[in-house]
Amino acid sequence: MHISRPRSVLLAGAVTVTLSATALPAAFAAPSSTAVISEVYGGGGNSGATLTRDFVELANAGSAAYDLSGFSVQYLPGTPSAGSLWQVSALTGSVAPGGRYLVAEAAGTGGTVALPTPDATGTVAMSATSGTIALVSGTTPLTCKTAADCAADTRIVDLVGYGSAVVREGSGPATGTSATASVARGTSLADTDDNAADLTAGAATPVNTAGETSGGSGPGDPGNPTEPGPVRIHDIQGTTRVSPLDGQSVTGVPGVVTAVRTSGSRGFWIQDAAPDADARTGEGVFVYTGSAAPAVAVGDAVLVSGKVDEYYPSATTQSITEITAPRVTVLSSGNALPAPVVLDAASVPGAYVPSAGGGSIDALPLDPATYALDRYESLEGTRVEIADTRVTGATTAYGEVWVTVKPNENPTRRGGTLYSSYTDQNTGRIKVMSLDTTRPFPAANVGDVLSGTTTGVLDYDSFGGYNLQATELGTLTDHHLRREVTRKQKDKELAVATYNVENLDALDQQAKFDTLAQGVAVNLSSPDIVSLEEIQDDNGAVSDGTVGSEATLKRFTDAIVAAGGPQYAWRYIAPEDGKDGGEPGGNIRNVFLFNPERVEFVDRPGGDATTAVTAVDTRKGVTLSASPGRINPTSDAWDDSRKPLVGEFRFHGKPVFVIGNHFASKGGDQPLHGRYQEPTRSSETKRVKQAAEVNTFVKSLLAADKSARVIALGDLNDFAFSPTVQKLASDGALKPLITTLPTNEQYSYVYEGNSQTLDHILTSPGICRFDYDVVHINAEFADQASDHDPQIVRVDVNAPVQGHH
């Protein structure tokens, strides 16, 4: 099992030399007509080892036999001392093109499996964890003990440093060696003179010139047999999420190559053309090739040998079953691919995932007829097909789009899929990515349709869970989603909006200012008050003590005027440097913009970064001790988090109290699709504490004047049904306005194909006549100025309060 590993696999205690036709960088001799080391293993005979001896393996990637007569393999400890000497093992004979050459080294007292008959034998007791192996033209011991000195020695044909070796090629040694693991090159035998990049760790797989492997298998290449071995893909996948063969080596696993990935996590998928009858056991698997480009093509019938591994993209996600450190035999090409499995409303269950009481679901038997995630897991690595799927999450900057295979599952008014409950997940959502890097990915908005069929393999990652890696992408049908424009407020209405402008600072491009300004002036129809979240200081993510936002706000308000809006004034309280969370150096804060031609801001001195604002009961009604002010900023609820900004306004002579909020993010929560079910929402605790602070402050205003007009708004980073919003609204202090909309309109944010609400406006009982609107201009679009939609409430401040005269 590996968690969030560098995508590399190293083999310990074995050394393999590969003959390569590619040129080495100038640091070492060019390998165009000579051999390179392909595998190194020093754990033989150690405690816990399977093999009884250390070994070094050479491989010939050239087109002609390579003569090794007079050559040697030499070993140096990983951290050589003044008295350390290179130990020499002489070589004889040759290695055939495409073949291997095995050098056996010292035996230990552990292990039970002998090496195949070696082609040369030495007596070197190699370290399992750190050392350097050199392939040398000659048998005279080397004298170099640094990477630079060894690079200058023209006798060295190839060199591999492993573990923590100081003598190595390139950026660092190959890592991951142990009593059971070697470091080895990938199937392409690529040699770039960078040990860390060229060799990866995995199970030791020694092979000699006869093609024999440990345990007597052969003839054939190590992991390149010509007949299938005993293990099939469904044996590897098993009936749970974790392979019963995890950590074990497999030989000659047959399959047809169904897809190839040449960038990022490189490798290819194979699928068994002769599936078993068990719906739980998958028939496809990913073969991870590390830094090497896959040397196969779609339609190749192959036999794959390597080590089975469960790769966890992070500690809380599910895993991906893989074959690592692969050796591949291509038996034939141009074969028909297995028919894809259709994913649609009928084939994907309605229940989302089994419960493990908050624990791991890894060991639970799959039930693909009952749970959607079990269905997807049973198809991991398998060819699947979807058809005419509606887009529920717009194309991202990473070339991915979310669709639903269940068109009738909680649809929103504009084509998304509504997320409305922790217990009612949307099971039809799936992310689509393209394996074709030669064509641009279509820019899709929510409500568009991927028409026709989209076919590919089902994969998994930490950025949303199960996804379709498309080899054939459907055609995008544009449904012409429009950005909304809300109505202009009437003269008697106070219009108050909230807008998360996503880390806006004075150094941003003018285009970002202009687009956000258009949203305020046109789409929001120039509200009287705009509560902004994510305004940064004037130099953004630069940690130099700057905390002011004057330049940022000047550029933004000027852009609003240019877009046809009013000349806004602003108020904010600068945070203490580095104390309010967000992007490091950005000093994020809440800000009020207001139109002084329509509304008056009541300035009262005393507000600063650490002083708590309080409600003051006067004969003329409740007022603030300071305006602008902050709610209890020294409470631990606000540690490393944005503090609420409170301002007192007057509209048509009536006081209105506005509280701008930006609660703590959901960072650290376990994912919906993860291995722990039900997932823990660890970040929720802090937001509930923050909600309690704001609720207490609102109740202090209402205690002084039960008819006080209070508007609390902003990015609460939580849902209308969450404990956070329930705490904020508790004791009747505030009413969440999102719940006053029709159900299919209750969203302002789209995440992983779920339309949901993180932004809110809440009002006190003193506001009894209002008109509320979420204005959809960002979250559903591939081209967006912010990932949040703004929202607005228009309040009739003169309307009588119900129950009061």
Side-chain angles (χ1 to χ4, degrees), residues 490-494 650-656 707 709 766-770 794-802 804-805:
K490 299 173 185 177
D491 180 68
K492 68 176 183 178
E493 293 176 318
L494 174 68
R650 287 193 172 273
F651 182 74
H652 289 191
K654 302 292 178 67
V656 178
S707 299
R709 301 169 187 85
I767 294 174
C768 58
R769 186 174 299 168
F770 59 85
R794 291 169 283 262
V795 175
D796 183 351
V797 298
N798 293 307
V801 180
Q802 294 179 357
H804 298 279
H805 301 282

Side-chain angles (χ1 to χ4, degrees), residues 615-632:
V616 179
D617 191 358
T618 73
R619 286 182 298 172
K620 294 183 179 181
V622 65
T623 64
L624 298 179
S625 61
S627 177
R630 292 178 130 193
I631 294 176
N632 201 12

Side-chain angles (χ1 to χ4, degrees), residues 163-179:
S164 57
V166 297
V167 180
R168 74 284 184 108
E169 291 181 350
S171 62
T175 58
T177 54
S178 69

Side-chain angles (χ1 to χ4, degrees), residues 223-479:
N224 291 66
T226 56
E227 297 294 333
V231 174
R232 295 296 182 266
I233 294 173
H234 49 252
D235 299 321
I236 294 173
Q237 290 288 7
T239 59
T240 71
R241 284 172 165 78
V242 175
S243 172
L245 303 179
D246 184 26
Q248 299 182 33
S249 296
V250 292
T251 302
V253 179
V256 176
V257 177
T258 57
V260 177
R261 184 159 60 201
T262 57
S263 61
S265 179
R266 293 180 175 181
F268 57 94
W269 287 267
I270 62 173
Q271 186 169 334
D272 198 325
D276 66 6
D278 192 336
R280 300 170 298 176
T281 56
E283 300 296 342
V285 71
F286 182 64
V287 181
Y288 172 64
T289 60
S291 60
V296 296
V298 172
D300 285 352
V302 296
L303 301 176
V304 177
S305 302
K307 182 180 178 181
V308 176
D309 180 59
E310 290 292 340
Y311 168 58
Y312 288 86
S314 78
T316 59
T317 61
Q318 295 186 58
S319 62
I320 307 160
T321 305
E322 302 176 340
I323 300 176
T324 62
R327 305 291 178 86
V328 182
T329 301
V330 178
L331 301 177
S332 62
S333 300
N335 296 279
L337 304 186
V341 176
V342 174
L343 293 177
D344 57 17
S347 63
V348 177
Y352 187 62
V353 65
S355 172
S360 172
I361 59 175
D362 278 353
L364 298 181
L366 295 177
D367 187 356
T370 302
Y371 301 107
L373 290 197
D374 285 17
R375 175 63 168 160
Y376 294 141
E377 174 63 22
S378 73
L379 297 173
E380 179 193 275
T382 300
R383 288 191 83 218
V384 297
E385 177 183 285
I386 60 178
D388 299 324
T389 49
R390 192 180 73 249
V391 173
T392 64
T395 301
T396 71
Y398 304 100
E400 52 193 31
V401 66
W402 285 84
V403 302
T404 180
V405 299
K406 294 186 172 184
N408 296 320
E409 186 176 53
N410 299 321
T412 67
R413 178 174 63 85
R414 289 165 56 88
T417 297
L418 188 73
Y419 179 60
S420 58
S421 169
Y422 292 129
T423 58
D424 183 22
Q425 303 297 336
N426 292 308
T427 59
R429 294 174 305 117
I430 192 167
K431 184 170 68 174
V432 177
M433 308 164 71
S434 178
L435 290 169
D436 184 353
T437 59
T438 64
R439 292 190 295 177
F441 196 82
N445 297 325
V446 168
D448 292 346
V449 173
L450 274 184
S451 300
T453 58
T454 295
T455 306
V457 291
L458 199 63
D459 195 28
Y460 181 90
D461 64 29
S462 59
F463 304 103
Y466 293 99
N467 57 81
L468 196 163
Q469 299 280 329
T471 53
E472 301 172 37
L473 198 61
T475 302
L476 181 65
T477 299
D478 187 351
H479 277 217

Side-chain angles (χ1 to χ4, degrees), residues 16 100 187 262 280 297 439 484 486 508 527 709 756 768 805:
T16 303
R100 301 293 192 274
T187 55
T262 57
R280 300 170 298 176
R439 292 190 295 177
E484 294 183 332
T486 197
D508 282 330
R709 301 169 187 85
Q756 55 196 37
C768 58
H805 301 282

Side-chain angles (χ1 to χ4, degrees), residues 373-720:
L373 290 197
D374 285 17
R375 175 63 168 160
Y376 294 141
E377 174 63 22
S378 73
L379 297 173
E380 179 193 275
T382 300
R383 288 191 83 218
V384 297
E385 177 183 285
I386 60 178
D388 299 324
T389 49
R390 192 180 73 249
V391 173
T392 64
T395 301
T396 71
Y398 304 100
E400 52 193 31
V401 66
W402 285 84
V403 302
T404 180
V405 299
K406 294 186 172 184
N408 296 320
E409 186 176 53
N410 299 321
T412 67
R413 178 174 63 85
R414 289 165 56 88
T417 297
L418 188 73
Y419 179 60
S420 58
S421 169
Y422 292 129
T423 58
D424 183 22
Q425 303 297 336
N426 292 308
T427 59
R429 294 174 305 117
I430 192 167
K431 184 170 68 174
V432 177
M433 308 164 71
S434 178
L435 290 169
D436 184 353
T437 59
T438 64
R439 292 190 295 177
F441 196 82
N445 297 325
V446 168
D448 292 346
V449 173
L450 274 184
S451 300
T453 58
T454 295
T455 306
V457 291
L458 199 63
D459 195 28
Y460 181 90
D461 64 29
S462 59
F463 304 103
Y466 293 99
N467 57 81
L468 196 163
Q469 299 280 329
T471 53
E472 301 172 37
L473 198 61
T475 302
L476 181 65
T477 299
D478 187 351
H479 277 217
H480 307 289
L481 189 71
R482 295 183 178 274
R483 301 181 199 271
E484 294 183 332
V485 176
T486 197
R487 71 170 177 84
K488 183 73 175 176
Q489 65 270 28
K490 299 173 185 177
D491 180 68
K492 68 176 183 178
E493 293 176 318
L494 174 68
V496 184
T498 176
Y499 198 178
N500 183 320
V501 292
E502 197 171 7
N503 289 326
L504 185 67
D505 71 77
L507 304 182
D508 282 330
Q509 296 293 319
Q510 186 62 38
K512 180 173 182 179
F513 281 95
D514 292 343
T515 305
L516 289 167
Q518 179 85 3
V520 173
V522 176
N523 300 92
L524 287 172
S525 294
S526 300
D528 302 312
I529 301 169
V530 184
S531 183
L532 300 174
E533 301 88 56
E534 296 199 15
I535 290 288
Q536 293 192 338
D537 62 36
D538 286 335
N539 62 7
V542 177
S543 296
D544 64 355
T546 299
V547 295
S549 292
E550 297 300 300
T552 302
L553 293 166
K554 177 68 164 58
R555 281 190 70 188
F556 190 30
T557 54
D558 285 351
I560 292 173
V561 172
Q567 181 64 64
Y568 284 104
W570 61 80
R571 296 290 187 275
Y572 68 88
I573 292 179
E576 294 181 280
D577 187 31
K579 293 294 184 67
D580 279 21
E583 187 177 23
N587 287 313
I588 201 169
R589 84 286 311 274
N590 300 306
V591 173
F592 293 138
L593 300 184
F594 63 96
N595 180 2
E597 298 296 321
R598 289 266 303 164
V599 65
E600 174 192 359
F601 188 89
V602 179
D603 286 295
R604 281 198 191 86
D608 59 30
T610 58
T611 301
V613 65
T614 60
V616 179
D617 191 358
T618 73
R619 286 182 298 172
K620 294 183 179 181
V622 65
T623 64
L624 298 179
S625 61
S627 177
R630 292 178 130 193
I631 294 176
N632 201 12
T634 59
S635 165
D636 63 2
W638 309 112
D639 287 350
D640 197 34
S641 186
R642 290 74 60 170
K643 284 71 172 172
L645 181 68
V646 186
E648 184 176 334
F649 295 85
R650 287 193 172 273
F651 182 74
H652 289 191
K654 302 292 178 67
V656 178
F657 302 94
V658 180
I659 306 172
N661 302 277
H662 189 185
F663 286 3
S665 78
K666 290 182 172 292
D669 287 3
Q670 293 174 351
L672 296 179
H673 54 78
R675 65 197 293 208
Y676 299 107
Q677 296 293 338
E678 294 71 19
T680 298
R681 301 186 299 273
S682 58
S683 70
E684 186 176 84
T685 301
K686 189 177 189 73
R687 287 191 300 279
V688 171
K689 290 179 69 174
Q690 293 175 341
E693 291 281 1
V694 177
N695 176 264
T696 297
F697 177 76
V698 171
K699 286 189 292 190
S700 74
L701 290 171
L702 298 180
D705 180 0
K706 61 184 177 183
S707 299
R709 301 169 187 85
V710 184
I711 300 173
L713 74 175
D715 178 3
L716 303 184
N717 268 313
D718 229 332
F719 314 117

